[in-house]
Amino acid sequence: MKKKADWREFQPLIESALKRYLPSDTAYPSEVHEAMRYAVLGEGKRFRPALVLSACEAVGGNPKQALLPACAVEFVHAYSLIHDDLPALDNDEMRRGKPTCHKKFGEAIAILAGDALLTQAFHLLSEAKPPEKALHLIRELADAAGTKGMVGGQVVDILLARNGANREVDLSTLDYISQHKTGRLIQASAVLGAIVGTSSSSKIKRIREFGWLLGFAFQVVDDIMDGDGYLRVMSSDEACQKAESLIEKAKQEAESFGKKGKRLTSVADFLNVPVGSKN
Ligand code: GRG
C-alpha cells in the first residue's frame, strides 16, 4: 500500500540544506557562525520550510527547487526565536531542549547571530532564478518579517504585556497579534513555495488564503496549549472551535489542489492533533 503523503518526509532534505546554506563554523569570525548554526540546527520541527516545499508541490512545482526559500524562512524564524528569548524580550533560558543562544554565546553575539540570519535569508532569496522571481520572493518575505508582519505583531504583543497580564484585552488586538507575529511568516512560507512552483496568479492567491488561515490557526493552537492569549477573552472550548474552523477552511483550500495538495493537507492536519501532544 502507498504511504500517505506527509510533510515530515521533507525534514531530512531540509536539514541537509540548512547545513549547506549556513556559513561554516570555522569561517572567520567563527563565534557568530557557531551561534548561527547552534540556533538553527538541532531540534526544530521545520514546519515552515516543509510548508514552503509542500505548497510548491501543491501548485505543480518540484519541491527540491524551493529549498532556497525554505531555508530562508527557517533562518528568519530562528532569528525571531533568538531575539524573542533575549532578556529584553521573553528572557528565556531554554529553547528546543538546550540553553538559548544568548545563554550559550552571550547577548551581544546572540543579537548579531540573529541579525546575520535575517540578512542571510535575503541573500539566499537573491540567488533564486529567474531574477523576477527572486525579487517577488524577497518582497514577500520582507513584508512578512517587518513591521507589516512579524515585527509589527511582536511590538503590539510587547505593548500589551507592558500594560500588565491582567489588563483587559480585546479580540481584535489578539487577532492582530496572531495574524502578524506568527501568521504572516507562516503565510509567506506557503506563498514562497507557490511562487517557485507556478506562475499562475490564481494558484498563488489560493495558497495565500491557505497560508493566512493556517498561520492564524497556528497561534490560536499555541495559545490554547500555553493557556494564554485567546484564553483571556474566551473559553478553551471556544478557542478550540476558532482553531478548528480555521484549520477546516485551510484544509478545503489545500484539497482544492487535488492529489498534488495531499502533503499540504497533512500540514494543516498537523495542527489538528489533540492539544498537549505537539512538541
Ligand atoms: C523578535 C522580531 C521578533 C519576533 C518574535 C515568532 C516570534 C516573534 C516569537 C517567538 C515566540 C513564540 C512562541 C511565538 C509563537 C509562535 C511559535 C509557537 C513559535 C514556535 O514555532 P515552532 O513551534 O518551533 O515551529 P520550532 O522549534 O519547532 O521551530
Side-chain angles (χ1 to χ4, degrees), residues 169-219:
V169 52
D170 57 274
L171 186 60
S172 66
T173 305
L174 288 170
D175 282 346
Y176 179 91
I177 293 170
S178 300
Q179 289 159 1
H180 292 79
K181 181 178 94 169
T182 312
R184 282 291 281 112
L185 189 61
I186 290 177
Q187 180 187 39
S189 304
V191 173
L192 260 48
I195 293 170
V196 172
T198 185
S199 301
S200 153
S201 52
S202 76
K203 282 188 185 172
I204 296 173
K205 191 167 166 229
R206 276 155 63 202
I207 290 287
R208 189 180 292 288
E209 177 63 14
F210 165 86
W212 190 87
L213 293 160
L214 191 77
F216 193 177
F218 193 98
Q219 186 59 54

Side-chain angles (χ1 to χ4, degrees), residues 11 33 53 89 100 108 189 205 246 254 274:
Q11 285 167 334
H33 298 143
L53 304 189
L89 285 96
T100 47
S189 304
K205 191 167 166 229
L246 291 164

Side-chain angles (χ1 to χ4, degrees), residues 206 210 248-262 264-265 269:
R206 276 155 63 202
F210 165 86
E248 195 43 50
K249 286 184 198 146
K251 275 179 71 175
Q252 282 167 16
E253 288 288 345
E255 282 161 2
S256 75
F257 290 95
K259 253 167 73 179
K260 292 197 168 114
K262 287 224 180 301
L264 196 61
T265 309
D269 265 334

Side-chain angles (χ1 to χ4, degrees), residues 45 48 77 79-81 84 96 154 218-219 222:
K45 289 187 289 296
R48 293 158 193 79
H77 173 56
Y79 127 76
S80 81
L81 298 180
D84 194 57
R96 294 174 168 172
Q154 181 70 4
F218 193 98
Q219 186 59 54
D222 192 57

Side-chain angles (χ1 to χ4, degrees), residues 38 41 58 62 76 78 89 92 106 116 148 176 178 193 203 228 245 267 273:
Y38 177 85
L41 302 176
N62 174 357
V76 172
L89 285 96
D92 278 319
K148 286 196 256 175
Y176 179 91
S178 300
K203 282 188 185 172
D228 193 15
S245 151
V267 180
V273 300

